Amino acid sequence: MAPYIGSATSRVDGFAKVTGAAKYAAEFNVSGLVHASLVCSTIAKGRITHVDASAAQRVKGVLTVLTHENRPAMADNDEAYKDEVAPDGSPYRPLYDGKIMFNGQPIALVVAETSEIARFAASLVRVEYEKEPHVTDVHRLRDAASAVKDPGSPIEALFTPPKRRRTPEQALAAATVRHEGEYYVPIEHHNPMELYASTVIVEGNGKLTVYDKTQGVQNVQRYLCGVFGMKPEDVRVMSPFMGGGFGSGLRPQFQVVLAVLAARALQRSVRLVLTRQQMYTLGYRPAMIQRIALGAGVGGTLDAIAHDAITVTSHYEDFHRQETGWSGLLYKCANAKYAHKLARLDLATPCDMRAPSAATGVYALECAMDELAVALELDPLELRLRCYSDRDQHDDRPYSSKALRECYRQGAEAFGWVKRNPKPRSMREGGDLVGWGMATGVWEALQVPITVRIVLSANGHAEVACATSDIGTGTYTIMAQVAADMLGLPLDNISIKLGDSSLPQSPVEGGSWIAASVSNGIATTAEAIRDELLRLSRQTPNSPLANAAPGDVVLVNGKLVSKRDPSRAVSIADAMRHGAVERIEQEKITNPAEDDSRAHNSHSAVFAEVKVDEQLGVIRVTRVVSAVAAGRILNTKTASSQILGGVVWGIGMALHEETLIDHKFGRIMNANIAEYHVPVNADVHDINVIFVDEADDSNPLGVKGVGEIGIVGVAAAIANAVYHATGKRVRDLPITLDKLNR
Ligand code: MOS
């Protein structure tokens, strides 16, 4: 039997998905289900002085209109609203009081017999406010803050960026070649296909089943217990399938609180589905202003890096990631300094969005490196190789593995990089200017504690269970592959259970950490199953494995087999029959190995070709090669899809995506996927994904995870290609026609 691990296995849930059998949070039905619809604030800051719901109440079929004035009891302390990935601060409490903190904030919930009635009645609710002045423009805030040296400034340095190295100021001043630039990434939104939704089923005797769109069912369960003072055994949260999360579902979102609130108020099962527009207040990639200064010697040695960032957060929570940290990590450079400030705006708190901090931080670094290469008159790939670092520059430690050099080599070869004419505007094809650019990508390789239960039946079927989520990444499939190999069973004999808070413990699915965590978790539990089978096998009469130790045997083709002498074997069926057991059940927690002596990262080299219409400035990304080193690839098909999706998103980041706010009203003006531009089929051309071999022993299976690395570096590679094509450097994303032609 060929191993499943590493093969291009099609999704085990693919059939259920394409036939519609896979049900999402808004698709679970129960008799007597009622429907909720939101009323959202139309001001950015202030408080509600009056809510007139009388017209809504009079609509036939309306059951209730809940506001902060008449809602059932909710917790009154911040701690209750903190979830496992909450930032510091005071989490937003839906319908808690009359305070308005962002435009689009939920302020009333209409519940009715049908969703149409609920939505219509919601349009009749009249709200009066007492407005306060708001600021939603990060540039305005920065300009104001630099004008007055006010310690109470809304731009604050709230946490410590990576430690500085040696004397960056002197090194910058002494550098032969310098580049300094300011780069901007606007607010961007996740826009997963599936709308956020919760269906809350009132089971009687105080118990609720909550079908919720989330990346972490147990995180939502704990959160609901905190907010409503419920016991874990009374709230079961389910999320068997998810139509895209990208980080927007890491924290419990307000729709789940509101649906549970309504279900408790009415003692009826309730569904709340957010509209696309309402999803724009759930969280977003924070806008980011970055200044990077690089100093180099003529030979292309990097002597100094200075990286300053301002990122956006709300007034009530301090969301940030280590945006500047990637600059210090990636290249060999003796002198470095960083600063990171948070700009408090009258918006909802941002949240993680695919490769949070790296997608943005590495964009600035990799564009700056390209500009430095131009200043040095050096090939941009050659510059990266001269600054290549085999050690983590922050902590001066080796990597568990780093096959980035090989990514550069294989990526450049597949792309044909040697044929690049370095001169901007030198390559043409018909009326198009052709540009070739490249960039490096980097992400973390993490593993988290996770618990897996396996139940093996005498008929050779196994059920593998863990409360993790499959957010569309292929978790069901890789879990089945790993279990099949570890248990020596065909893939079809494995059933996977996940997305249910009653299953064994798992953290949220995020940070690209679930593949490594759950696959090694399955390996641990499968070993316990094997040990139990061996114990039973030894007891069979004249057992061929009588003297075998656990490490001497493996499970292959439904049998426990001696590694030294494959003729010595006992079938699973025989072992269990002699042991008189119908099933073997094991549940084990797997903790990551403590290994701070080495850095654990995945890497990529991204090469992009753009064609720019010289007359109109229209940019097309005609080719992308992404060469990725991410340890062992569990499934080349689903992993390629992850990188492909990341590259497509990188095209969006470079050329299309931008959340536009009318700062006069503090309101998002393009809160829909018609006016918030994302790459469509016509924008996506040839994408070639390469996985570079990389052996890593950070965990037994050598897995690093691929959910996020695919987007990192892509926007920079495209921006650098646009410069190469046109000779025009656009540093504020997205690179739109007007910026290219101004
Ligand atoms: Mo990811 S942004 O941690 O879902």
Side-chain angles (χ1 to χ4, degrees):
M1 206 161 70
Y4 293 105
I5 293 177
S7 71
T9 301
S10 290
R11 286 167 189 262
V12 297
D13 51 335
F15 187 81
K17 281 187 170 171
V18 298
T19 55
K23 286 216 253 173
Y24 293 79
E27 297 183 310
F28 289 87
N29 284 313
V30 63
S31 67
L33 183 72
V34 296
H35 301 264
S37 183
L38 280 179
V39 179
C40 299
S41 81
T42 54
I43 67 162
K45 191 174 192 171
R47 72 185 181 87
I48 300 167
T49 52
H50 183 64
V51 180
D52 178 3
S54 55
Q57 298 272 20
R58 281 196 298 271
V59 176
K60 190 167 175 296
V62 168
L63 300 165
T64 188
V65 180
L66 294 174
T67 68
H68 63 282
E69 289 168 341
N70 67 348
R71 60 159 174 82
M74 298 167 81
D76 63 357
N77 62 92
D78 285 341
E79 221 35 55
Y81 293 81
K82 293 249 173 176
D83 66 278
E84 74 182 55
V85 287
D88 288 345
S90 173
Y92 165 58
R93 305 172 185 179
L95 296 197
Y96 185 78
D97 57 22
K99 196 172 169 196
I100 302 296
M101 300 188 290
F102 55 91
N103 204 320
Q105 178 180 321
I107 50 178
L109 189 71
V110 179
V111 191
E113 295 292 349
T114 71
S115 60
E116 291 81 0
I117 295 172
R119 200 160 169 175
F120 169 66
S123 74
L124 304 178
V125 176
R126 294 288 162 259
V127 182
E128 286 164 33
Y129 307 94
E130 196 175 281
K131 283 191 208 171
E132 289 171 39
H134 64 263
V135 178
T136 52
D137 182 348
V138 65
H139 289 105
R140 198 184 126 195
L141 197 64
R142 186 209 18 201
D143 295 347
S146 53
V148 281
K149 290 216 162 42
D150 171 12
S153 150
I155 293 198
E156 293 176 63
L158 283 164
F159 65 99
T160 322
K163 58 179 184 272
R164 67 184 264 137
R165 296 200 288 271
R166 291 174 57 186
T167 52
E169 293 83 0
Q170 291 89 320
L172 268 176
T176 322
V177 177
R178 267 185 301 275
H179 163 69
E180 189 167 351
E182 183 175 303
Y183 302 84
Y184 180 65
V185 182
I187 288 177
E188 297 166 350
H189 275 82
H190 310 71
N191 277 305
M193 264 207 288
E194 183 196 5
L195 297 173
Y196 270 80
S198 304
T199 303
V200 178
I201 296 174
V202 174
E203 306 281 9
N205 53 43
K207 290 187 193 295
L208 299 178
T209 302
V210 180
Y211 292 96
D212 185 36
K213 171 167 178 161
T214 177
Q215 293 175 237
V217 283
Q218 291 178 332
N219 189 30
V220 170
Q221 182 194 36
R222 273 188 298 272
Y223 174 81
L224 291 174
C225 287
V227 172
F228 294 105
M230 296 181 77
K231 293 200 279 298
E233 56 269 31
D234 292 339
V235 189
R236 183 177 181 190
V237 180
M238 313 271 281
S239 181
F241 295 98
M242 193 177 185
F246 314 116
S248 61
L250 287 168
R251 300 185 67 187
Q253 295 290 18
F254 55 67
Q255 92 286 340
V256 73
V257 186
L258 295 170
V260 170
L261 195 67
R264 286 168 66 90
L266 294 169
Q267 283 305 307
R268 296 203 42 187
S269 299
V270 175
R271 172 179 301 149
L272 173 58
V273 185
L274 299 188
T275 63
R276 181 63 60 180
Q277 184 177 15
Q278 288 163 357
M279 281 171 52
Y280 278 74
T281 51
L282 289 176
Y284 51 90
R285 196 192 286 290
M288 184 167 174
I289 302 170
Q290 303 182 72
R291 286 201 73 78
I292 291 197
L294 302 174
V298 273
T301 54
L302 205 51
D303 297 332
I305 298 177
H307 189 168
D308 296 358
I310 296 172
T311 59
V312 161
T313 191
S314 67
H315 276 282
Y316 51 95
E317 283 175 311
D318 301 341
F319 179 85
H320 61 78
R321 293 286 175 252
Q322 201 56 278
E323 268 77 4
T324 57
W326 308 101
S327 294
L329 176 75
L330 200 49
Y331 298 114
K332 198 189 292 176
C333 183
N335 304 281
K337 65 167 185 167
Y338 318 90
H340 189 158
K341 292 178 179 173
L342 296 186
R344 296 188 179 285
L345 296 177
D346 294 300
L347 294 172
T349 307
C351 67
D352 288 309
M353 185 161 127
R354 206 173 201 173
S357 81
T360 44
V362 173
Y363 155 70
L365 173 68
E366 287 300 285
C367 287
M369 285 293 280
D370 196 73
E371 298 200 54
L372 182 67
V374 171
L376 285 162
E377 297 180 20
L378 203 60
D379 178 272
L381 174 55
E382 180 57 30
L383 174 63
R384 266 86 171 176
L385 291 169
R386 291 192 193 179
C387 304
Y388 196 90
S389 173
D390 287 307
R391 296 179 75 79
D392 163 359
Q393 294 285 298
H394 288 310
D395 299 308
D396 191 30
R397 53 185 181 169
Y399 288 91
S400 61
S401 57
K402 181 177 175 179
L404 175 58
R405 223 184 267 283
E406 197 52 23
C407 294
Y408 289 136
R409 199 188 64 74
Q410 291 187 30
E413 187 178 307
F415 189 83
W417 185 257
V418 304
K419 294 190 226 103
R420 180 178 186 264
N421 182 333
K423 212 169 123 52
R425 301 182 70 88
S426 63
M427 292 166 59
R428 281 167 189 273
E429 192 185 283
D432 286 337
L433 294 162
V434 178
W436 289 2
M438 59 85 56
T440 311
V442 56
W443 185 243
E444 293 170 289
L446 298 166
Q447 195 189 337
V448 291
I450 205 163
T451 307
V452 171
R453 181 176 68 223
I454 298 177
V455 179
L456 177 68
S457 305
N459 64 4
H461 278 76
E463 182 191 276
V464 180
C466 175
T468 186
S469 303
D470 184 339
I471 66 174
T473 42
T475 311
Y476 276 106
T477 310
I478 57 145
M479 285 176 72
Q481 289 173 270
V482 173
D485 279 356
M486 295 294 158
L487 297 168
L489 296 173
L491 195 71
D492 288 346
N493 287 21
I494 309 291
S495 56
I496 302 296
K497 282 198 164 170
L498 54 71
D500 175 348
S501 63
S502 68
L503 298 175
Q505 162 276 326
S506 170
V508 294
E509 176 160 27
S512 300
W513 58 52
I514 284 298
S517 306
V518 81
S519 61
N520 286 290
I522 291 169
T524 306
T525 308
E527 275 180 19
I529 295 273
R530 178 203 63 193
D531 295 352
E532 180 58 14
L533 280 169
L534 179 62
R535 196 182 65 77
L536 298 174
S537 301
R538 287 214 202 96
Q539 293 166 0
T540 61
N542 305 316
S543 172
L545 299 175
N547 300 314
D552 298 339
V553 291
V554 282
L555 283 162
V556 201
N557 289 330
K559 287 183 286 205
L560 199 58
V561 182
S562 162
K563 284 190 208 164
R564 271 174 283 182
D565 178 0
S567 71
R568 295 182 162 272
V570 175
S571 75
I572 291 174
D574 283 348
M576 290 175 77
R577 191 170 65 242
H578 284 286
V581 293
E582 284 298 315
R583 58 207 289 279
I584 297 176
E585 177 174 331
Q586 291 288 341
E587 182 172 321
K588 297 282 172 204
I589 183 165
T590 301
N591 290 302
E594 294 284 333
D595 182 14
D596 288 341
S597 65
R598 300 184 298 172
H600 306 270
N601 292 89
S602 54
H603 293 91
S604 67
V606 187
F607 298 83
E609 175 185 85
V610 299
K611 291 186 179 163
V612 183
D613 183 308
E614 196 176 1
Q615 306 290 307
L616 301 172
V618 175
I619 304 166
R620 285 177 302 140
V621 180
T622 44
R623 280 195 305 137
V624 176
V625 174
S626 176
V628 176
R632 182 198 296 247
I633 302 304
L634 290 167
N635 182 327
T636 47
K637 191 172 187 175
T638 53
S640 288
S641 296
Q642 284 304 299
I643 304 305
L644 225 132
V647 170
V648 170
W649 204 338
I651 295 172
M653 186 177 169
L655 303 181
H656 308 131
E657 294 192 47
E658 178 174 26
T659 300
L660 296 162
I661 296 170
D662 183 332
H663 296 302
K664 186 168 176 225
F665 301 102
R667 188 168 178 89
I668 296 170
M669 300 309 288
N670 58 342
N672 56 71
I673 41 182
E675 291 161 299
Y676 180 98
H677 293 170
V678 295
V680 297
N681 198 45
D683 298 308
V684 179
H685 298 270
D686 183 15
I687 300 173
N688 180 9
V689 178
I690 297 168
F691 288 114
V692 167
D693 283 341
E694 188 180 66
D696 191 280
D697 63 0
S698 303
N699 54 64
L701 286 170
V703 175
K704 285 186 172 177
V706 292
E708 292 170 290
I709 183 66
I711 189 176
V712 187
V714 179
I718 293 168
N720 296 340
V722 169
Y723 167 77
H724 181 237
T726 64
K728 173 112 190 170
R729 193 64 80 165
V730 178
R731 299 188 183 91
D732 54 328
L733 296 182
I735 306 172
T736 47
L737 295 185
D738 54 318
K739 292 177 189 168
L740 208 52
N741 293 325
R742 79 185 163 204

